[in-house]
Amino acid sequence: GRGLKSHAYIHSVQFSHHVFLNLHTLKFYCLPDNYEIIDSSLEDITYVLKPTFTTQQITNLDKQAKLSRAYDGTTYLPGIVGLNNIKANDYANAVLQALSNVPPLRNYFLEEENYKNIQRPPGDIMFLLVQRFGELMRKLWNPRNFKAHVSPHEMLQAVVLCSKKNFQITKQGDGVDFLSWFLNALHSALGGTKKKKKTIVTDVFQGSMRIFTKKLPHPDLPAEEKAQLLQNSEYQEMMVESTFMYLTLDLPTAPLYKDEKEQLIIPQVPLFSILAKFNGATEKEYKTYKENFLKRFQLTKLPPYLIFCIKRFTKNNFFVEKNPTIVNFPITNVDLREYLSEEVQATHTHTTYDLIANIVHDGKPSEGSYRIHVLHHGTGKWYELQDLQVTDILPQMITLSEAYIQIWKRREEDETNQQGA
């Protein structure tokens, strides 16, 4: 407040600081005289606090390559701006930057009207995530920022609160765990459900697949007994349809012992060989405490934006191990048609994807750091962001890093023609 006993009033008298802004009403007051200041030159300040976007501005975001000039003289591209690392939150920063680079998701959150009237049960704190994410999107894409970076502080406070401290600012977290939790939390806070009610999150990222599961007899049993068990109904293959928000790609295990010559060679694997998990034929064994299963997967619906999570970490009883294998992938033109079941192939016209975001994990499993490569749609250039640092990067450099999370954009018809032009 601004009454006689308020901090603001006392501060204005002691330090001769006279102009104060109410963060809720966005009105300026002169203290101790206590009158409202109406002056258009202060609009810049309120705009930075609460940027707003018209539908026209949002439509043009991905078409323009114009640099904005911040108040401190630095130039920046809206959307390609650093995020403070408060202590150890670079895992969350990288994921938030990646999501901010998915146009339909970003556009939905840039306009508060889209979600302002969603009815939530009283006392529901999860909606805070939606509001804070919207605010962060508007700040990241603000063409009139004071500095060429943004603080994710309020967003991260909401994450700590809503995840019941599962995700912290002061302790390094896992990017995939955070992404998975965040997308599901956003979906349910927007009123989405598991089956029926869709939201912008499922519209953008959700695909579906068939999972075929076959129970295996215990490996130590004699052959006749195994053969007999395989006749039983519980050992026959079963199929379930399932939705997914991202696909987990398994890396081949890195060699345990290296000879002298291979000491310097980091193992490499082509993207398509780890995608084979989803071709409907490749079988993979899964062990639970008691039983073993063979599973195979086949995709039945490809989302407009497809997320890959490359499984670099394996947790065993004692520690977490990291697999440093480099995945070789093309940056554009990845066709996923062969991973769809045959009857679906006929109805899926667009199955080609281009990379738009690539999150990299460097260093040791528990204490490494995160950085991200993003494609700026307006300029067609790639940028590397690591906390406050923003640098441009050549696309061919992107594939040399230990990619951890990737977002791919499905190419629609008209774009293919542009590429050819």
Side-chain angles (χ1 to χ4, degrees):
R2 53 180 202 278
L4 292 180
K5 292 201 170 75
S6 67
H7 288 295
Y9 185 90
I10 294 161
H11 185 88
S12 69
V13 176
Q14 280 184 338
F15 294 94
S16 294
H17 288 168
H18 299 300
V19 181
F20 290 81
L21 165 63
N22 181 321
L23 296 180
H24 291 287
T25 61
L26 300 187
K27 288 181 174 177
F28 287 91
Y29 293 92
C30 179
L31 298 180
D33 310 3
N34 200 5
Y35 62 85
E36 189 183 342
I37 303 166
I38 294 162
D39 186 333
S40 59
S41 68
L42 296 171
E43 271 173 19
D44 281 340
I45 298 172
T46 49
Y47 190 83
V48 159
L49 202 64
K50 206 166 185 221
T52 48
F53 290 81
T54 63
T55 315
Q56 188 56 46
Q57 281 173 313
I58 293 174
T59 317
N60 291 335
L61 277 182
D62 294 328
K63 294 179 186 153
Q64 60 195 24
K66 205 171 85 200
L67 284 166
S68 289
R69 184 175 289 279
Y71 254 45
D72 61 4
T74 48
T75 51
Y76 69 99
L77 277 169
I80 307 286
V81 291
L83 283 175
N84 288 25
N85 188 350
I86 297 157
K87 190 145 186 221
N89 53 278
D90 50 333
Y91 73 98
N93 283 1
V95 168
L96 294 168
Q97 289 278 21
L99 295 175
S100 132
N101 205 44
V102 173
L105 187 74
R106 172 202 67 199
N107 297 352
Y108 177 88
F109 281 97
L110 285 178
E111 275 191 277
E112 209 176 349
E113 290 302 312
N114 289 331
Y115 51 85
K116 211 165 69 181
N117 301 324
I118 290 176
Q119 297 298 313
R120 298 304 296 158
D124 171 48
I125 59 160
M126 297 306 271
F127 200 68
L128 194 61
L129 277 183
V130 173
Q131 291 164 319
R132 292 284 179 261
F133 187 62
E135 284 163 17
L136 183 66
M137 288 304 101
R138 291 191 283 278
K139 286 177 179 174
L140 282 172
W141 287 89
N142 180 1
R144 289 158 53 185
N145 261 332
F146 276 16
K147 293 178 178 161
H149 59 83
V150 169
S151 169
H153 199 257
E154 292 96 338
M155 173 80 244
L156 293 169
Q157 277 179 323
V159 164
V160 175
L161 184 70
C162 295
S163 72
K164 301 191 173 64
K165 298 195 175 161
N166 252 348
F167 297 103
Q168 301 269 10
I169 299 175
T170 51
K171 201 166 84 215
Q172 184 67 285
D174 180 90
V176 172
D177 291 350
F178 174 65
L179 174 72
S180 174
W181 172 82
F182 188 69
L183 288 180
N184 285 310
L186 268 190
H187 171 63
S188 60
L190 288 166
T193 55
K194 273 224 160 33
K195 292 262 160 62
K196 293 242 166 45
K197 273 198 92 183
K198 302 180 77 135
T199 63
I200 182 70
V201 180
T202 46
D203 289 345
V204 172
F205 294 121
Q206 194 176 70
S208 60
M209 64 164 98
R210 288 184 187 145
I211 304 172
F212 300 89
T213 308
K214 194 159 57 181
K215 191 172 161 182
L216 294 174
H218 197 279
D220 301 342
L221 289 174
E224 301 89 64
E225 241 181 283
K226 277 190 192 168
Q228 214 167 351
L229 281 173
L230 287 172
Q231 304 305 314
N232 293 358
S233 59
E234 65 168 317
Y235 287 91
Q236 302 312 305
E237 188 169 67
M238 284 161 61
M239 191 268 286
V240 288
E241 284 268 354
S242 169
T243 55
F244 64 84
M245 291 276 212
Y246 60 87
L247 296 177
T248 303
L249 306 182
D250 307 316
L251 288 174
T253 43
L256 280 178
Y257 305 104
K258 300 178 178 143
D259 61 23
E260 267 84 82
K261 287 189 192 123
E262 282 185 8
Q263 210 82 62
L264 303 167
I265 299 171
I266 296 169
Q268 301 195 10
V269 60
L271 176 67
F272 289 103
S273 67
I274 55 174
L275 270 173
K277 172 180 175 181
F278 298 100
N279 63 10
T282 307
E283 292 188 314
K284 186 168 188 264
E285 200 171 326
Y286 287 83
K287 294 182 170 70
T288 62
Y289 180 59
K290 287 185 185 150
E291 299 168 317
N292 295 357
F293 295 95
L294 267 186
K295 289 191 179 191
R296 54 192 185 94
F297 306 91
Q298 186 162 42
L299 304 183
T300 50
K301 177 175 174 271
L302 290 167
Y305 288 80
L306 182 59
I307 303 176
F308 290 157
C309 296
I310 296 165
K311 196 167 185 287
R312 291 208 170 270
F313 302 107
T314 41
K315 298 179 175 71
N316 58 27
N317 296 340
F318 305 105
F319 55 91
V320 181
E321 274 184 282
K322 182 178 177 189
N323 186 329
T325 303
I326 299 279
V327 179
N328 301 127
F329 53 90
I331 283 180
T332 53
N333 257 339
V334 169
D335 192 356
L336 299 177
R337 182 169 291 278
E338 62 181 285
Y339 304 101
L340 289 167
S341 58
E342 281 179 16
E343 71 275 18
V344 181
Q345 284 187 14
T347 56
H348 251 66
T349 39
H350 306 303
T351 55
T352 305
Y353 283 80
D354 299 323
L355 187 69
I356 59 163
N358 181 55
I359 295 177
V360 177
H361 181 275
D362 298 304
K364 292 182 180 151
S366 48
E367 59 209 41
S369 60
Y370 284 84
R371 57 197 163 100
I372 177 171
H373 303 127
V374 291
L375 171 69
H376 183 264
H377 299 281
T379 56
K381 284 186 182 153
W382 281 89
Y383 290 87
E384 179 173 276
L385 299 110
Q386 185 160 24
D387 300 328
L388 294 179
Q389 285 177 312
V390 178
T391 47
D392 44 8
I393 182 171
L394 291 168
Q396 47 276 35
M397 301 301 288
I398 293 169
T399 58
L400 305 175
S401 49
E402 293 177 37
Y404 189 36
I405 300 170
Q406 298 184 326
I407 303 183
W408 296 77
K409 173 184 190 288
R410 190 170 65 200
R411 209 182 261 194
E412 307 302 334
E413 201 56 75
D414 50 347
E415 297 174 45
T416 348
N417 302 341
Q418 285 175 8
Q419 300 281 335

